[in-house]
Coordinates of all heavy atoms in Angstrom, one line a residue:
K464 N -13.2 5.2 15.4 CA -12.2 4.2 14.9 C -10.9 4.9 14.5 O -11.0 6.0 13.9 CB -12.8 3.5 13.7 CG -11.8 2.4 13.1 CD -12.6 1.7 12.0 CE -11.6 0.8 11.3 NZ -12.1 -0.2 10.4
T465 N -9.8 4.3 14.9 CA -8.5 5.0 14.6 C -8.1 4.8 13.2 O -8.6 3.8 12.5 CB -7.4 4.4 15.6 OG1 -7.3 3.0 15.4 CG2 -7.7 4.7 17.0
S466 N -7.3 5.6 12.7 CA -6.7 5.5 11.3 C -6.0 4.2 11.1 O -5.2 3.8 12.0 CB -5.9 6.7 11.0 OG -5.4 6.6 9.7
V467 N -6.3 3.5 10.0 CA -5.5 2.3 9.7 C -4.6 2.6 8.5 O -4.9 3.2 7.5 CB -6.5 1.2 9.2 CG1 -5.8 -0.1 8.8 CG2 -7.5 0.9 10.3
D468 N -3.3 2.1 8.7 CA -2.3 2.3 7.6 C -2.4 1.1 6.7 O -1.6 0.1 7.0 CB -0.9 2.5 8.3 CG 0.1 2.7 7.3 OD1 -0.2 3.2 6.1 OD2 1.3 2.5 7.5
A469 N -3.3 1.1 5.7 CA -3.5 0.0 4.8 C -2.3 -0.2 4.0 O -1.8 0.7 3.3 CB -4.8 0.2 4.1
N470 N -1.7 -1.4 4.0 CA -0.5 -1.7 3.1 C -0.8 -3.0 2.4 O 0.1 -3.4 1.7 CB 0.7 -1.9 4.0 CG 0.5 -2.8 5.2 OD1 -0.3 -3.7 5.2 ND2 1.3 -2.7 6.2
T471 N -1.8 -3.6 2.5 CA -2.2 -4.9 1.9 C -3.6 -4.9 1.4 O -4.5 -4.5 2.1 CB -1.9 -6.1 2.9 OG1 -0.6 -6.0 3.4 CG2 -2.1 -7.5 2.1
R472 N -3.8 -5.5 0.2 CA -5.2 -5.6 -0.3 C -5.5 -7.1 -0.3 O -4.7 -7.9 -0.8 CB -5.3 -5.1 -1.8 CG -6.6 -5.3 -2.3 CD -6.9 -4.4 -3.5 NE -7.0 -3.0 -2.9 CZ -6.9 -1.9 -3.6 NH1 -6.6 -1.9 -4.8 NH2 -7.1 -0.7 -3.0
I473 N -6.6 -7.5 0.3 CA -7.0 -8.9 0.3 C -8.3 -9.0 -0.6 O -9.2 -8.3 -0.4 CB -7.3 -9.3 1.8 CG1 -6.0 -9.1 2.5 CG2 -7.9 -10.7 1.9 CD1 -6.1 -9.5 4.0
T474 N -8.2 -10.0 -1.4 CA -9.4 -10.3 -2.3 C -9.9 -11.6 -2.0 O -9.2 -12.6 -2.0 CB -9.0 -10.2 -3.8 OG1 -8.3 -8.9 -4.0 CG2 -10.2 -10.3 -4.6
I475 N -11.3 -11.6 -1.7 CA -11.9 -12.9 -1.3 C -13.0 -13.2 -2.4 O -13.8 -12.4 -2.6 CB -12.5 -12.7 0.1 CG1 -11.5 -12.3 1.1 CG2 -13.3 -14.0 0.5 CD1 -11.9 -11.3 2.1
S476 N -12.8 -14.4 -2.9 CA -13.9 -14.9 -3.9 C -15.1 -15.3 -3.2 O -15.0 -16.1 -2.2 CB -13.3 -16.0 -4.8 OG -12.2 -15.5 -5.6
V477 N -16.3 -14.9 -3.6 CA -17.5 -15.3 -3.0 C -18.4 -16.0 -4.0 O -18.4 -15.7 -5.2 CB -18.2 -14.0 -2.5 CG1 -19.5 -14.4 -1.9 CG2 -17.3 -13.2 -1.5
N478 N -19.0 -17.1 -3.5 CA -20.0 -17.8 -4.4 C -21.3 -17.8 -3.6 O -21.6 -18.8 -2.9 CB -19.5 -19.2 -4.7 CG -20.5 -19.9 -5.6 OD1 -21.4 -19.3 -6.2 ND2 -20.3 -21.2 -5.8
D479 N -22.1 -16.7 -3.6 CA -23.3 -16.6 -2.8 C -24.3 -15.8 -3.5 O -24.2 -14.6 -3.8 CB -22.9 -15.9 -1.5 CG -24.0 -16.1 -0.4 OD1 -25.2 -15.9 -0.8 OD2 -23.7 -16.4 0.7
K480 N -25.4 -16.5 -4.0 CA -26.4 -15.7 -4.8 C -27.2 -14.7 -4.0 O -27.8 -13.9 -4.5 CB -27.4 -16.8 -5.4 CG -28.2 -17.6 -4.4 CD -29.0 -18.7 -5.1 CE -29.9 -19.5 -4.2 NZ -29.4 -20.2 -3.1
N481 N -27.1 -14.7 -2.6 CA -27.6 -13.7 -1.8 C -26.7 -12.6 -1.4 O -26.9 -11.9 -0.5 CB -28.2 -14.4 -0.6 CG -29.4 -15.3 -0.9 OD1 -30.3 -14.9 -1.7 ND2 -29.4 -16.5 -0.3
L482 N -25.5 -12.5 -2.0 CA -24.6 -11.5 -1.7 C -25.1 -10.1 -1.7 O -24.9 -9.3 -0.8 CB -23.3 -11.6 -2.6 CG -22.2 -10.5 -2.3 CD1 -21.7 -10.7 -0.9 CD2 -21.0 -10.7 -3.3
V483 N -26.0 -9.8 -2.7 CA -26.6 -8.5 -2.7 C -27.4 -8.2 -1.5 O -27.4 -7.0 -1.1 CB -27.4 -8.3 -4.1 CG1 -28.7 -9.3 -4.0 CG2 -27.7 -6.9 -4.3
N484 N -28.0 -9.2 -0.9 CA -28.8 -8.9 0.3 C -28.0 -8.8 1.5 O -28.4 -8.2 2.5 CB -29.9 -10.0 0.5 CG -30.8 -10.2 -0.7 OD1 -31.2 -9.2 -1.2 ND2 -31.1 -11.5 -1.0
K485 N -26.9 -9.4 1.5 CA -25.9 -9.4 2.7 C -24.9 -8.3 2.7 O -24.2 -8.1 3.6 CB -25.2 -10.8 2.8 CG -26.1 -11.9 2.8 CD -25.4 -13.2 2.7 CE -26.3 -14.4 2.7 NZ -25.5 -15.7 2.6
K486 N -24.8 -7.6 1.5 CA -23.7 -6.7 1.3 C -23.6 -5.6 2.4 O -22.5 -5.4 2.9 CB -23.9 -6.0 -0.1 CG -22.7 -5.2 -0.6 CD -23.0 -4.9 -2.1 CE -23.5 -3.6 -2.2 NZ -23.3 -3.0 -3.7
D487 N -24.6 -4.9 2.7 CA -24.6 -3.8 3.7 C -24.2 -4.3 5.0 O -23.4 -3.7 5.7 CB -25.9 -3.1 3.7 CG -26.1 -2.3 2.4 OD1 -25.2 -2.0 1.7 OD2 -27.3 -1.9 2.2
N488 N -24.8 -5.5 5.5 CA -24.4 -6.1 6.8 C -23.0 -6.5 6.8 O -22.3 -6.2 7.9 CB -25.3 -7.2 7.1 CG -26.8 -6.7 7.4 OD1 -27.0 -5.7 7.9 ND2 -27.7 -7.6 6.9
L489 N -22.5 -7.1 5.8 CA -21.1 -7.6 5.7 C -20.2 -6.3 5.8 O -19.2 -6.3 6.5 CB -20.9 -8.2 4.4 CG -21.4 -9.7 4.3 CD1 -21.3 -10.2 3.0 CD2 -20.5 -10.6 5.3
R490 N -20.5 -5.3 5.0 CA -19.6 -4.1 5.0 C -19.6 -3.5 6.4 O -18.5 -3.0 6.8 CB -20.2 -3.1 4.0 CG -19.2 -1.8 3.9 CD -19.7 -0.7 2.9 NE -19.6 -1.2 1.6 CZ -20.6 -1.4 0.8 NH1 -21.8 -1.3 1.1 NH2 -20.3 -1.8 -0.5
N491 N -20.7 -3.3 7.0 CA -20.7 -2.7 8.3 C -19.9 -3.5 9.4 O -19.2 -2.9 10.2 CB -22.1 -2.5 8.8 CG -22.9 -1.5 8.0 OD1 -22.3 -0.7 7.4 ND2 -24.3 -1.6 8.1
D492 N -20.1 -4.8 9.3 CA -19.3 -5.6 10.2 C -17.8 -5.6 10.0 O -17.0 -5.5 10.9 CB -19.9 -7.1 10.3 CG -21.2 -7.2 10.9 OD1 -21.7 -6.2 11.6 OD2 -21.7 -8.3 11.0
L493 N -17.5 -5.7 8.8 CA -16.1 -5.8 8.3 C -15.4 -4.5 8.6 O -14.2 -4.5 9.2 CB -16.0 -6.1 6.9 CG -16.3 -7.5 6.5 CD1 -16.4 -7.8 5.0 CD2 -15.3 -8.6 7.0
I494 N -15.9 -3.3 8.3 CA -15.3 -2.1 8.5 C -15.2 -1.8 10.0 O -14.3 -1.0 10.4 CB -16.0 -0.9 7.8 CG1 -15.1 0.2 7.6 CG2 -17.3 -0.5 8.6 CD1 -14.0 0.0 6.6
S495 N -15.8 -2.5 10.9 CA -15.7 -2.2 12.4 C -14.5 -2.9 12.9 O -14.0 -2.6 14.0 CB -17.0 -2.8 13.1 OG -16.9 -4.2 13.1
L496 N -13.8 -3.8 12.2 CA -12.6 -4.5 12.6 C -11.5 -3.5 12.5 O -11.4 -2.8 11.6 CB -12.3 -5.7 11.7 CG -13.4 -6.8 11.7 CD1 -13.0 -7.9 10.8 CD2 -13.5 -7.4 13.2
T497 N -10.6 -3.5 13.6 CA -9.6 -2.5 13.7 C -8.6 -2.5 12.6 O -8.0 -1.4 12.3 CB -9.0 -2.5 15.0 OG1 -8.4 -3.9 15.2 CG2 -9.9 -2.2 16.2
S498 N -8.3 -3.7 12.0 CA -7.1 -3.7 11.1 C -7.6 -3.4 9.6 O -6.8 -3.4 8.7 CB -6.6 -5.1 11.0 OG -7.5 -6.2 10.7
I499 N -8.9 -3.2 9.4 CA -9.5 -3.0 8.0 C -9.7 -1.5 7.9 O -10.4 -0.8 8.6 CB -10.8 -3.8 7.9 CG1 -10.4 -5.3 8.0 CG2 -11.4 -3.5 6.5 CD1 -11.6 -6.2 7.7
D500 N -9.2 -0.9 6.8 CA -9.3 0.4 6.4 C -10.5 0.7 5.4 O -11.2 1.6 5.4 CB -8.0 0.9 5.7 CG -8.2 2.4 5.3 OD1 -8.6 3.2 6.2 OD2 -7.8 2.7 4.2
K501 N -10.7 -0.3 4.4 CA -11.6 -0.1 3.4 C -12.2 -1.4 3.0 O -11.5 -2.4 2.9 CB -10.9 0.5 2.2 CG -11.7 0.9 1.0 CD -10.9 1.7 0.0 CE -11.5 1.9 -1.2 NZ -10.6 2.4 -2.2
V502 N -13.5 -1.4 2.7 CA -14.2 -2.6 2.2 C -14.9 -2.3 0.9 O -15.7 -1.3 0.9 CB -15.3 -3.0 3.4 CG1 -16.0 -4.2 2.9 CG2 -14.6 -3.3 4.7
E503 N -14.7 -3.1 -0.1 CA -15.4 -3.0 -1.3 C -16.1 -4.3 -1.6 O -15.4 -5.3 -1.5 CB -14.5 -2.6 -2.5 CG -13.9 -1.2 -2.3 CD -13.0 -0.8 -3.5 OE1 -13.1 -1.5 -4.5 OE2 -12.2 0.0 -3.2
I504 N -17.3 -4.3 -1.9 CA -18.0 -5.5 -2.3 C -18.6 -5.4 -3.6 O -19.4 -4.5 -3.9 CB -19.1 -5.9 -1.2 CG1 -18.5 -6.0 0.2 CG2 -19.9 -7.2 -1.6 CD1 -19.5 -6.2 1.4
S505 N -18.2 -6.4 -4.5 CA -18.8 -6.3 -5.9 C -19.6 -7.5 -6.1 O -19.2 -8.6 -6.1 CB -17.5 -6.4 -6.9 OG -18.1 -6.5 -8.2
V506 N -20.8 -7.2 -6.2 CA -21.9 -8.3 -6.5 C -21.7 -8.8 -7.9 O -21.7 -10.1 -8.2 CB -23.3 -7.8 -6.3 CG1 -24.3 -8.8 -6.7 CG2 -23.5 -7.3 -4.9
E507 N -21.3 -7.9 -8.8 CA -21.1 -8.4 -10.2 C -19.9 -9.3 -10.4 O -19.9 -10.3 -11.1 CB -20.9 -7.2 -11.2 CG -22.0 -6.2 -11.2 CD -22.1 -5.3 -10.0 OE1 -21.2 -5.1 -9.3 OE2 -23.3 -4.8 -9.8
A508 N -18.8 -9.0 -9.6 CA -17.6 -9.8 -9.8 C -17.5 -11.0 -8.7 O -16.6 -11.7 -8.8 CB -16.3 -8.9 -9.7
D509 N -18.5 -10.9 -7.8 CA -18.4 -11.9 -6.7 C -17.1 -11.9 -5.9 O -16.4 -12.9 -5.6 CB -18.7 -13.4 -7.3 CG -20.1 -13.5 -7.8 OD1 -21.0 -12.9 -7.2 OD2 -20.3 -14.3 -8.7
V510 N -16.7 -10.7 -5.5 CA -15.5 -10.5 -4.7 C -15.8 -9.5 -3.6 O -16.5 -8.6 -3.8 CB -14.3 -10.2 -5.5 CG1 -13.8 -11.2 -6.4 CG2 -14.4 -8.8 -6.2
I511 N -15.0 -9.7 -2.6 CA -14.9 -8.7 -1.4 C -13.5 -8.4 -1.4 O -12.6 -9.2 -1.4 CB -15.4 -9.4 -0.1 CG1 -16.9 -9.7 -0.2 CG2 -15.2 -8.3 1.0 CD1 -17.4 -10.4 1.0
V512 N -13.2 -7.0 -1.4 CA -11.8 -6.5 -1.4 C -11.7 -5.7 0.0 O -12.5 -4.8 0.2 CB -11.5 -5.6 -2.6 CG1 -10.2 -5.1 -2.5 CG2 -11.8 -6.4 -3.9
L513 N -10.6 -6.1 0.7 CA -10.4 -5.5 1.9 C -9.0 -4.8 1.9 O -8.0 -5.5 1.5 CB -10.4 -6.4 3.1 CG -11.6 -7.4 3.2 CD1 -11.3 -8.4 4.4 CD2 -12.8 -6.5 3.6
D514 N -8.9 -3.5 2.3 CA -7.5 -2.8 2.3 C -7.3 -2.9 3.8 O -8.0 -2.4 4.7 CB -7.6 -1.4 1.8 CG -7.7 -1.4 0.3 OD1 -7.6 -2.5 -0.3 OD2 -7.8 -0.2 -0.2
V515 N -6.1 -3.5 4.2 CA -5.9 -3.8 5.6 C -4.4 -3.4 6.0 O -3.6 -3.2 5.1 CB -6.1 -5.3 5.9 CG1 -7.5 -5.8 5.5 CG2 -5.0 -6.2 5.3
D516 N -4.2 -3.3 7.2 CA -2.8 -3.2 7.8 C -2.4 -4.6 8.1 O -2.9 -5.3 9.1 CB -2.8 -2.3 9.1 CG -1.4 -2.2 9.7 OD1 -0.6 -3.0 9.4 OD2 -1.2 -1.2 10.4
N517 N -1.5 -5.1 7.3 CA -1.0 -6.5 7.4 C -0.4 -6.8 8.7 O -0.4 -7.9 9.1 CB -0.2 -6.9 6.2 CG -0.1 -8.4 6.0 OD1 -1.1 -9.0 6.1 ND2 1.0 -9.0 5.8
D518 N 0.2 -5.8 9.4 CA 0.8 -6.0 10.7 C -0.2 -6.5 11.7 O 0.2 -7.2 12.7 CB 1.6 -4.8 11.1 CG 2.7 -4.4 10.2 OD1 3.2 -5.3 9.6 OD2 3.0 -3.3 10.2
Y519 N -1.4 -6.1 11.6 CA -2.5 -6.4 12.6 C -3.5 -7.3 12.1 O -4.4 -7.7 12.9 CB -3.1 -5.0 13.2 CG -2.0 -4.2 13.7 CD1 -1.5 -3.1 13.1 CD2 -1.4 -4.4 15.0 CE1 -0.5 -2.3 13.6 CE2 -0.4 -3.6 15.5 CZ 0.0 -2.5 14.8 OH 1.0 -1.7 15.4
F520 N -3.7 -7.5 10.7 CA -4.7 -8.3 10.2 C -4.8 -9.7 10.6 O -3.7 -10.4 10.6 CB -4.7 -8.2 8.7 CG -5.9 -8.9 8.0 CD1 -7.2 -8.4 8.1 CD2 -5.7 -10.1 7.4 CE1 -8.2 -9.1 7.5 CE2 -6.7 -10.8 6.8 CZ -7.9 -10.4 6.8
D521 N -5.9 -10.2 11.0 CA -6.1 -11.6 11.3 C -7.4 -12.0 10.6 O -8.4 -11.4 10.7 CB -6.4 -11.7 12.9 CG -6.7 -13.0 13.4 OD1 -6.6 -14.0 12.6 OD2 -7.0 -13.2 14.5
S522 N -7.4 -13.0 9.9 CA -8.5 -13.5 9.1 C -9.6 -14.1 9.9 O -10.7 -14.2 9.5 CB -8.0 -14.5 8.0 OG -7.5 -15.7 8.6
S523 N -9.4 -14.5 11.1 CA -10.3 -15.2 12.0 C -11.6 -14.4 12.2 O -12.7 -15.0 12.0 CB -9.7 -15.7 13.3 OG -8.6 -16.5 13.1
P524 N -11.5 -13.1 12.6 CA -12.7 -12.4 12.8 C -13.4 -12.2 11.5 O -14.7 -12.0 11.5 CB -12.2 -11.0 13.3 CG -10.9 -11.2 13.8 CD -10.3 -12.4 13.0
V525 N -12.8 -12.0 10.3 CA -13.4 -11.9 9.1 C -14.1 -13.1 8.7 O -15.3 -13.1 8.3 CB -12.3 -11.7 7.9 CG1 -12.9 -11.7 6.5 CG2 -11.6 -10.3 8.2
K526 N -13.6 -14.3 9.0 CA -14.3 -15.6 8.7 C -15.4 -15.7 9.7 O -16.5 -16.3 9.3 CB -13.3 -16.8 8.8 CG -12.3 -16.7 7.7 CD -11.3 -17.8 7.7 CE -10.3 -17.8 6.5 NZ -9.3 -18.9 6.5
K527 N -15.4 -15.3 10.9 CA -16.5 -15.3 11.8 C -17.7 -14.5 11.3 O -18.8 -14.8 11.4 CB -16.0 -14.9 13.1 CG -15.3 -15.9 14.0 CD -15.0 -15.4 15.4 CE -14.2 -16.5 16.1 NZ -13.4 -15.9 17.2
I528 N -17.3 -13.3 10.8 CA -18.4 -12.5 10.2 C -19.0 -13.1 8.9 O -20.2 -13.2 8.8 CB -17.8 -11.1 9.8 CG1 -17.4 -10.3 11.0 CG2 -18.7 -10.3 8.8 CD1 -16.7 -9.1 10.8
F529 N -18.2 -13.8 8.1 CA -18.7 -14.5 7.0 C -19.6 -15.6 7.4 O -20.7 -15.9 6.8 CB -17.6 -15.1 6.1 CG -16.8 -14.0 5.3 CD1 -15.6 -14.3 4.7 CD2 -17.2 -12.7 5.3 CE1 -15.0 -13.4 4.0 CE2 -16.5 -11.7 4.6 CZ -15.3 -12.1 4.0
D530 N -19.2 -16.3 8.5 CA -20.0 -17.4 9.0 C -21.3 -16.9 9.6 O -22.4 -17.5 9.4 CB -19.2 -18.2 10.0 CG -18.1 -19.0 9.3 OD1 -18.1 -19.2 8.1 OD2 -17.2 -19.4 10.0
K531 N -21.3 -15.8 10.3 CA -22.4 -15.2 10.9 C -23.5 -14.9 9.8 O -24.7 -15.1 10.0 CB -22.0 -13.9 11.5 CG -23.2 -13.0 12.0 CD -22.6 -11.7 12.6 CE -23.7 -10.7 12.9 NZ -23.2 -9.4 13.3
W532 N -23.1 -14.4 8.7 CA -24.0 -14.1 7.5 C -24.2 -15.2 6.6 O -24.8 -15.1 5.6 CB -23.5 -12.8 6.9 CG -23.6 -11.6 7.8 CD1 -22.5 -10.9 8.4 CD2 -24.8 -11.0 8.3 NE1 -23.0 -10.0 9.1 CE2 -24.4 -10.0 9.2 CE3 -26.1 -11.2 8.2 CZ2 -25.3 -9.2 9.9 CZ3 -27.0 -10.5 8.8 CH2 -26.6 -9.4 9.7
E533 N -23.6 -16.4 7.0 CA -23.7 -17.6 6.2 C -23.3 -17.4 4.7 O -24.0 -17.7 3.8 CB -25.2 -18.2 6.1 CG -25.5 -18.6 7.6 CD -27.0 -19.0 7.7 OE1 -27.8 -18.8 6.8 OE2 -27.3 -19.6 8.8
L534 N -22.1 -16.7 4.6 CA -21.5 -16.4 3.3 C -20.8 -17.6 2.7 O -20.0 -18.2 3.5 CB -20.7 -15.2 3.4 CG -20.2 -14.6 2.1 CD1 -21.3 -13.9 1.3 CD2 -19.1 -13.6 2.4
N535 N -20.9 -17.9 1.5 CA -20.2 -18.9 0.9 C -19.0 -18.3 0.2 O -19.1 -17.6 -0.8 CB -21.0 -19.7 -0.1 CG -20.4 -20.9 -0.7 OD1 -19.2 -21.3 -0.4 ND2 -21.0 -21.5 -1.7
Y536 N -17.7 -18.6 0.7 CA -16.6 -17.9 0.3 C -15.5 -18.9 0.1 O -15.5 -20.0 0.7 CB -16.2 -16.8 1.2 CG -15.8 -17.2 2.6 CD1 -14.4 -17.5 2.9 CD2 -16.8 -17.5 3.5 CE1 -14.1 -17.9 4.1 CE2 -16.4 -18.0 4.8 CZ -15.1 -18.2 5.1 OH -14.7 -18.7 6.3
K537 N -14.4 -18.5 -0.7 CA -13.2 -19.3 -0.9 C -12.3 -19.2 0.3 O -12.0 -18.0 0.7 CB -12.5 -18.9 -2.1 CG -11.4 -19.8 -2.6 CD -10.8 -19.4 -4.0 CE -9.4 -19.5 -4.0 NZ -8.8 -18.7 -5.0
E538 N -11.9 -20.3 1.0 CA -11.1 -20.2 2.2 C -9.7 -19.5 2.1 O -9.3 -18.8 2.9 CB -10.9 -21.6 2.7 CG -12.1 -22.3 3.3 CD -12.5 -21.9 4.7 OE1 -11.6 -21.4 5.5 OE2 -13.7 -22.0 5.0
E539 N -9.2 -19.7 0.9 CA -7.9 -19.0 0.7 C -8.1 -17.6 0.2 O -8.6 -17.4 -0.9 CB -7.0 -19.8 -0.3 CG -6.5 -21.0 0.4 CD -6.5 -22.3 -0.5 OE1 -6.5 -22.1 -1.8 OE2 -6.6 -23.4 0.0
F540 N -7.6 -16.6 0.9 CA -7.7 -15.2 0.4 C -6.5 -14.9 -0.4 O -5.4 -15.3 -0.1 CB -7.7 -14.3 1.7 CG -8.9 -14.5 2.6 CD1 -9.0 -13.8 3.8 CD2 -9.9 -15.3 2.3 CE1 -10.0 -14.0 4.7 CE2 -11.0 -15.5 3.2 CZ -11.1 -14.8 4.4
D541 N -6.7 -14.1 -1.5 CA -5.6 -13.6 -2.2 C -5.1 -12.2 -1.7 O -5.9 -11.3 -1.4 CB -6.0 -13.4 -3.7 CG -6.5 -14.6 -4.4 OD1 -5.8 -15.7 -4.1 OD2 -7.4 -14.6 -5.2
T542 N -3.8 -12.2 -1.5 CA -3.2 -11.0 -0.8 C -2.2 -10.3 -1.9 O -1.6 -11.0 -2.7 CB -2.5 -11.1 0.4 OG1 -1.4 -12.0 0.2 CG2 -3.4 -11.8 1.4
S543 N -2.3 -9.0 -1.9 CA -1.3 -8.2 -2.7 C -0.9 -6.9 -1.9 O -1.6 -6.5 -1.1 CB -1.8 -7.9 -4.1 OG -3.0 -7.1 -3.9
V544 N 0.4 -6.5 -2.1 CA 0.8 -5.3 -1.4 C 0.3 -4.1 -2.2 O 0.3 -4.1 -3.4 CB 2.5 -5.4 -1.5 CG1 3.0 -4.0 -0.9 CG2 3.0 -6.6 -0.7
I545 N -0.1 -3.1 -1.4 CA -0.4 -1.9 -1.9 C 0.8 -1.0 -2.0 O 1.4 -0.8 -0.9 CB -1.5 -1.2 -0.9 CG1 -2.9 -2.1 -0.9 CG2 -1.9 0.2 -1.5 CD1 -3.8 -1.6 0.1
A546 N 1.0 -0.5 -3.1 CA 2.3 0.4 -3.2 C 2.1 1.6 -2.4 O 1.1 2.3 -2.3 CB 2.4 0.7 -4.7
D547 N 3.2 2.0 -1.7 CA 3.3 3.2 -0.9 C 3.5 4.4 -1.8 O 4.4 4.4 -2.5 CB 4.4 3.0 0.1 CG 4.2 4.1 1.2 OD1 3.5 5.1 1.0 OD2 4.9 4.0 2.2
S548 N 2.6 5.4 -1.8 CA 2.7 6.6 -2.7 C 3.7 7.6 -2.1 O 3.9 8.6 -2.7 CB 1.3 7.1 -2.9 OG 0.8 7.5 -1.7
E549 N 4.2 7.4 -0.9 CA 5.0 8.4 -0.3 C 6.5 8.1 -0.7 O 7.0 7.0 -0.4 CB 4.9 8.3 1.2 CG 3.6 8.9 1.7 CD 3.5 8.7 3.1 OE1 4.5 8.8 3.9 OE2 2.4 8.5 3.6
F550 N 7.2 9.0 -1.4 CA 8.6 8.8 -1.9 C 9.5 9.6 -1.0 O 9.2 10.6 -0.6 CB 8.6 9.3 -3.4 CG 8.0 8.3 -4.3 CD1 6.6 8.3 -4.4 CD2 8.7 7.6 -5.1 CE1 6.0 7.4 -5.3 CE2 8.1 6.7 -6.1 CZ 6.7 6.6 -6.1

């Protein structure tokens, strides 16, 4: 996988009591997408956080992965800019 220049953080609220069982499969599938640099899944906070390159990010493959694993999630993703540390 090529290096991803992550410039955006996407937070997805999840409401799925089986998230703990799906976590590893979700992480493996999500990290395989070319626009995603980092995947964090918090079972305690019921969120999935993706660091992505916003120039290439498309939510459709992410939602297909969620549907594949029958994940109950909030359709609207929260996005925020990741500050660039290079001055």
Side-chain angles (χ1 to χ4, degrees):
K464 181 173 171 168
T465 58
S466 175
V467 177
D468 183 22
N470 54 21
T471 304
R472 176 159 291 160
I473 297 180
T474 305
I475 303 142
S476 296
V477 178
N478 181 12
D479 194 317
K480 62 185 185 306
N481 294 316
L482 180 60
V483 69
N484 301 324
K485 301 173 182 179
K486 191 167 102 162
D487 291 338
N488 292 326
L489 285 165
R490 181 181 290 112
N491 291 340
D492 283 358
L493 290 167
I494 202 69
S495 72
L496 298 176
T497 54
S498 63
I499 297 179
D500 178 51
K501 186 173 166 189
V502 177
E503 293 178 25
I504 300 175
S505 172
V506 175
E507 297 80 18
D509 290 325
V510 295
I511 297 174
V512 178
L513 308 175
D514 287 355
V515 305
D516 182 336
N517 200 42
D518 295 335
Y519 301 102
F520 180 73
D521 177 6
S522 64
S523 298
V525 172
K526 291 179 178 181
K527 282 183 185 161
I528 289 170
F529 290 170
D530 291 343
K531 170 185 170 184
W532 295 108
E533 298 178 347
L534 187 72
N535 186 4
Y536 63 96
K537 187 173 143 198
E538 289 279 336
E539 283 140 28
F540 297 174
D541 295 324
T542 61
S543 59
V544 173
I545 297 173
D547 193 345
S548 60
E549 295 175 31
F550 286 73

